[in-house]
Amino acid sequence: MSHKFLSKRTAQTLTVFLASLPILIIASSTSFAQENIEEVIIIGRQEFIEKEFTATRAGANVDAAKLMNQVPGGAAANNGPLTGQIQYRGMFGPRINVRVDGMLIHGGGPNWMAPPLHHIPAGLMQDLTVEQGIPSISTGGGIGGAATAHWKRPAYNISNDWKFSGDTETALSSVDSGSSVSGVFGLSSANQRIYAVGSFDEGDDYESAKGKVSATEYDRDVYGLGYGFSKGGHEFEVNIHKIKTEDTGTPGLPMDIDWFNTEVWNASYKTDLNGIGLEVRVYGSEIDHGMSNSLLRPTPDFSSLMLPPFIGDDARSVVTDSEESGFKVALDWAVGNGTVITGIEGKDGKHNAAVYDPDFTPFFVNNFNDSDVESLAVFGEWSSLIGKNWYVEAGFRSEEVDMSTDTVDAFPARLVDMDPAKWPMGTPPRAVWLLRQNFNNADRSQNDRNLDWVLKSRYQATGNLVVELGIARKNRSPLYQERYLWIPLEANAGLGDGNNYVGNPLLEPEESHQIELGFDWSFGDFYFSPRIFRRQVDDYIQGVSATNMAVIGVSANANGDPTPLIFANTEAEFNGVDATFGAKINDSWRLEGVVSIVNADRKDISDSLYRVAPDNLRLSLLYEANTFNAKFEQVFIAEQHQLSRTNTFDPLNVNNSFVNTDSYSLTNVFLTWMLDENLTVSAGAENLFDEDYVDHLTGFNRVLSSRVPRGTRMFGPGRNLFGRVQYRW
């Protein structure tokens, strides 16, 4: 492993930062009160040591996924300003169990331009709860980790009178001329609350140290209503939200967001039945989505075929829709010094996507046609304190997943239907026809039976040391994209590697075996909490070189990639360490740090896995007084030389590159004033010294005529001066 945290430039930046601290401190007020705008809460730690780690929302950030940068082992893989995917210990996307108020929302569209946290703006998010290490069975599925975001909502009134309350926020950022306005408004009594929420986020292309980066503007509006009832041990909550996103760039993908029209609803009921807790949740979503490769970027020309859809520029639009619904019923009751949780959970989703040419009306490709995924799981979990020094937890989850899809079609294949003699073997339309026929004639229904189990224990070894050990087996069934992508396209849940893919209906579910050893040391004014982990994934789903000549021909001639990949089962291994540490300097000052290191490799061949966060270290110096706080943060990112040759070493593909990303460091300053009990003002600077850097997790630029060369990783945002005002009553 390489740990080049202190390159020459990094060392120079650190020196400037340390030298500037006295100036920054003198320029600030000397009183403090802690602000709770948004936070990351890491749970699943040792019960014997109560500890929460919080991360205030950085700047005027509108993408909630970026909060994962504050989590040990966490990161955010970004294809666009509103398209961040949570990464945890090298895994991201569908391998992470991400929920919004307990509901599962899979990415909007086949390329995940609206991943789960797209559906909750940062300004309306109360907190993001991340379960550190191996998630408990009761948290749900997912082999790579678990996180839940919660909407803001008003509290119940302490009296029976109705009270009007609000939580409003306005934010501005310089790097993208961005603005964000959000608010939660409610009427509440002791037993009822009625509330409305709204959020408006927009921004232009952001500035990097080398200039403006094209196709990075964004525009999202969110509206919602909710009602809650709580009395006599019964609690009921229902809400509905509408998310509308327009003209938003995703430069790491081949197209941008034209529109998202999304409706989500969520209802829950909790009660206690003679000592048995009951929780019931039902939810659903409807997502209509359009994307375009000519809306916010120059139209590409990726094919030289002399057919009408490919003559001249190759403008394309894609229209998709999805409907999802789910439920969860859970019971919990006390058993001795412990608790038993058992329940059932299910989800059903149906997805469609079609490709069109706005300049040639007859052209179409049925990308996905009624691709249906149904899952049903039963689970049980027992946890208990044993004596004074032991905590143990054991759980299982049995899940059945049924997948199917309807027949597909495409304009080039219909040309062969109309005149087979005109399009003999070796012509592109005949290749599309072969792919269609093979797919439609194959068995397109799959059934997976997955069994997960988790064992965890914690031991209070001494008065200031807790040791944790956990082992687990968890499974993930393939996405519908991974099984049913019948024609080579970049519809792969936002991998962002610049490759065309085809699916494989015969894929087996992934099976992850994980072990983790953790320590929580607390001695006086210091703490240190490292975690060492190792994970082996059998049947890991990864793109490998396609060998089907029809696939290669269609990808090369019609879709611009002569070396497409096919999803296949491989073998993978993840191992590393992450840790938090801190020290109280005096009553006003403290130091905190987060370090994350992960290696992720293929084990069936000698190769690294794609898009894994580099080793990184975050150091924060915090000042706290009565009505003022300050946070001075230094971020060190190591060089990432562990690159996936399979995904990125491809001289024939101009959409990616096999190039290391250099180490860099960023200096951030966050200042907060609580002017009174209702009004809070925040200001500061991100990338204070306007560092020129490349974020390894942003994928490869696909926009022509941009400051960022095509096929290279995106430039990081330059200096961002921000301000935020929050008024609550």
Side-chain angles (χ1 to χ4, degrees):
M1 289 183 288
S2 173
H3 306 287
K4 297 180 180 179
F5 290 122
L6 290 175
S7 65
K8 181 177 179 180
R9 182 162 187 163
T10 298
Q12 291 173 343
T13 304
L14 178 59
T15 301
V16 174
F17 166 69
L18 293 174
S20 67
L21 279 180
I23 300 174
L24 293 170
I25 295 167
I26 293 171
S28 304
S29 171
T30 58
S31 58
F32 167 79
Q34 187 158 352
E35 177 190 17
N36 286 319
I37 296 180
E38 280 83 28
E39 63 181 9
V40 173
I41 302 174
I42 303 173
I43 65 172
R45 304 184 59 82
Q46 176 50 257
E47 275 81 354
F48 305 119
I49 299 179
E50 296 182 1
K51 190 178 296 179
E52 287 186 350
F53 299 92
T54 62
T56 302
R57 177 157 62 98
N61 169 40
V62 296
D63 188 354
K66 292 182 180 179
L67 281 173
M68 283 298 292
N69 290 323
Q70 306 291 329
V71 175
N78 293 297
N79 291 319
L82 300 179
T83 312
Q85 295 187 29
I86 280 180
Q87 180 170 135
Y88 187 63
R89 293 179 172 175
M91 287 190 173
F92 66 99
R95 295 183 175 94
I96 310 295
N97 174 19
V98 183
R99 299 176 184 244
V100 178
D101 270 354
M103 68 182 296
L104 282 168
I105 309 175
H106 284 121
N111 225 359
W112 276 39
M113 288 184 173
L117 292 186
H118 176 97
H119 302 91
I120 179 168
L124 293 178
M125 193 179 75
Q126 181 64 35
D127 56 52
L128 180 67
T129 302
V130 180
E131 191 163 0
Q132 188 178 29
I134 300 174
S136 299
I137 283 291
S138 56
T139 305
I143 69 173
T148 297
H150 300 95
W151 290 91
K152 289 181 179 179
R153 49 175 57 89
Y156 290 103
N157 197 359
I158 59 175
S159 71
N160 289 323
D161 297 331
W162 287 89
K163 176 184 177 182
F164 178 59
S165 63
D167 185 341
T168 62
E169 180 182 305
T170 301
L172 300 172
S173 59
S174 66
V175 74
D176 56 5
S177 300
S179 62
S180 176
V181 178
S182 61
V184 181
F185 307 93
L187 286 170
S188 59
S189 68
N191 305 121
Q192 299 184 75
R193 58 186 177 193
I194 304 170
Y195 53 93
V197 303
S199 175
F200 312 94
D201 303 315
E202 63 179 2
D204 296 330
D205 292 338
Y206 72 76
E207 294 280 352
S208 72
K210 293 182 178 179
K212 192 177 293 291
V213 177
S214 300
T216 56
E217 60 261 59
Y218 57 91
D219 186 349
R220 177 181 58 187
D221 299 338
V222 177
Y223 312 89
L225 295 171
Y227 170 77
F229 175 83
S230 179
K231 187 175 182 180
H234 301 273
E235 184 174 349
F236 171 76
E237 191 87 26
V238 62
N239 55 64
I240 183 171
H241 295 94
K242 184 175 180 63
I243 301 103
K244 185 176 182 180
T245 306
E246 295 182 333
D247 294 3
T248 295
T250 53
L253 299 174
M255 309 182 94
D256 296 310
I257 297 171
D258 193 345
W259 79 84
F260 268 109
N261 292 319
T262 302
E263 292 183 358
V264 297
W265 61 271
N266 191 357
S268 64
Y269 171 70
K270 299 178 182 179
T271 190
D272 183 85
L273 304 172
N274 297 320
I276 299 178
L278 169 67
E279 179 179 358
V280 180
R281 183 178 301 278
V282 292
Y283 58 86
S285 64
E286 294 185 7
I287 302 176
D288 294 321
H289 171 36
M291 58 190 95
S292 169
N293 69 350
S294 57
L295 176 70
L296 303 177
R297 63 180 75 185
T299 307
D301 183 3
F302 49 76
S303 175
S304 59
L305 289 177
M306 298 308 293
L307 292 172
F310 305 100
I311 296 174
D313 293 337
D314 297 315
R316 295 290 184 268
S317 62
V318 177
V319 177
T320 78
D321 65 81
S322 68
E323 294 183 8
E324 298 183 336
S325 60
F327 74 93
K328 182 177 182 179
V329 180
L331 299 170
D332 67 87
W333 63 93
V335 177
N337 291 328
T339 302
V340 171
I341 304 174
T342 185
I344 185 171
E345 180 176 26
K347 189 168 185 293
D348 183 16
K350 185 166 290 186
H351 309 270
N352 296 281
V355 183
Y356 300 100
D357 183 344
D359 299 326
F360 184 69
T361 303
F363 180 81
F364 76 96
V365 175
N366 287 143
N367 198 357
F368 300 100
N369 185 18
D370 281 345
S371 295
D372 188 65
V373 183
E374 299 180 14
S375 64
L376 184 65
V378 295
F379 61 90
E381 180 180 290
W382 169 75
S383 60
S384 180
L385 292 171
I386 299 177
K388 296 181 179 180
N389 296 330
W390 282 95
Y391 168 86
V392 294
E393 178 181 308
F396 78 93
R397 176 184 173 93
S398 178
E399 180 182 47
E400 183 168 352
V401 180
D402 291 309
M403 299 179 66
S404 63
T405 192
D406 284 351
T407 58
V408 295
D409 203 355
F411 170 77
R414 286 193 178 179
L415 293 177
V416 180
D417 293 337
M418 291 185 291
D419 190 354
K422 185 177 180 180
W423 307 104
M425 294 296 294
T427 59
R430 177 67 71 165
V432 175
W433 182 88
L434 283 172
L435 295 178
R436 183 198 67 180
Q437 294 301 103
N438 290 338
F439 184 83
N440 289 344
N441 292 331
D443 184 0
R444 300 184 306 278
S445 298
Q446 281 77 32
N447 175 266
D448 304 326
R449 296 180 182 272
N450 302 324
L451 178 63
D452 298 352
W453 54 261
V454 170
L455 295 172
K456 293 194 287 189
S457 65
R458 302 183 183 121
Y459 175 62
Q460 185 85 50
T462 67
N464 56 18
L465 172 62
V466 174
V467 181
E468 177 177 344
L469 177 66
I471 58 174
R473 185 185 87 167
K474 295 201 172 187
N475 297 266
R476 179 186 78 91
S477 285
L479 295 174
Y480 74 91
Q481 297 97 315
E482 293 167 333
R483 276 182 166 154
Y484 297 139
L485 180 56
W486 67 277
I487 191 170
L489 293 171
E490 288 185 67
N492 49 34
L495 287 177
D497 63 357
N499 293 298
N500 285 341
Y501 281 77
V502 289
N504 181 356
L506 301 180
L507 287 172
E508 295 292 331
E510 297 176 335
E511 184 176 301
S512 168
H513 298 266
Q514 182 176 355
I515 184 169
E516 174 160 342
L517 178 63
F519 303 90
D520 288 320
W521 274 293
S522 177
F523 36 94
D525 293 331
F526 303 90
Y527 70 87
F528 178 48
S529 298
R531 290 291 190 276
I532 305 167
F533 61 90
R534 184 179 183 87
R535 184 201 311 270
Q536 180 176 317
V537 185
D538 297 329
D539 292 320
Y540 185 81
I541 298 172
Q542 158 80 38
V544 302
S545 297
T547 58
N548 185 308
M549 295 309 298
V551 169
I552 295 172
V554 172
S555 182
N557 295 316
N559 295 335
D561 179 8
T563 54
L565 305 179
I566 181 172
F567 287 111
N569 290 120
T570 65
E571 303 296 318
E573 185 176 271
F574 299 76
N575 58 78
V577 61
D578 47 59
T580 57
F581 57 90
K584 179 181 177 182
I585 300 173
N586 56 38
D587 290 341
S588 299
W589 291 90
R590 73 178 191 272
L591 180 71
E592 293 182 351
V594 176
V595 63
S596 303
I597 299 170
V598 60
N599 287 332
D601 300 302
R602 288 270 299 275
K603 301 309 292 182
D604 53 326
I605 63 173
S606 178
D607 197 10
S608 298
L609 293 180
Y610 168 67
R611 210 174 187 180
V612 174
D615 303 343
N616 59 87
L617 168 68
R618 289 176 176 267
L619 289 175
S620 298
L621 183 63
L622 297 100
Y623 175 77
E624 302 175 349
N626 292 326
T627 60
F628 172 77
N629 75 354
K631 178 180 179 181
F632 309 97
E633 181 183 63
Q634 195 69 25
V635 181
F636 302 95
I637 308 295
E639 173 193 9
Q640 182 57 289
H641 64 276
Q642 297 176 347
L643 308 178
S644 170
R645 296 181 67 88
T646 302
N647 290 76
T648 63
F649 184 71
D650 189 354
L652 298 179
N653 188 349
V654 297
N655 296 323
N656 58 31
S657 52
F658 188 74
V659 179
N660 295 354
T661 48
D662 293 334
S663 62
Y664 61 91
S665 69
L666 302 176
T667 302
N668 305 315
V669 179
F670 308 104
L671 309 173
T672 302
W673 296 264
M674 184 173 285
L675 301 184
D676 58 39
E677 63 181 8
N678 304 113
L679 180 62
T680 302
V681 176
S682 302
E686 299 169 292
N687 191 6
L688 177 64
F689 300 111
D690 202 25
E691 178 81 2
D692 179 9
Y693 71 99
V694 172
D695 183 350
H696 185 80
L697 295 183
T698 54
F700 301 96
N701 178 52
R702 302 298 303 280
V703 180
L704 303 177
S705 302
S706 173
R707 291 275 186 178
V708 184
R710 178 185 179 185
T712 65
R713 286 186 170 87
M714 303 297 297
F715 300 158
R719 181 186 298 109
N720 181 36
L721 305 178
F722 68 88
R724 183 170 60 249
V725 177
Q726 185 178 28
Y727 185 72
R728 290 172 287 187
W729 68 93

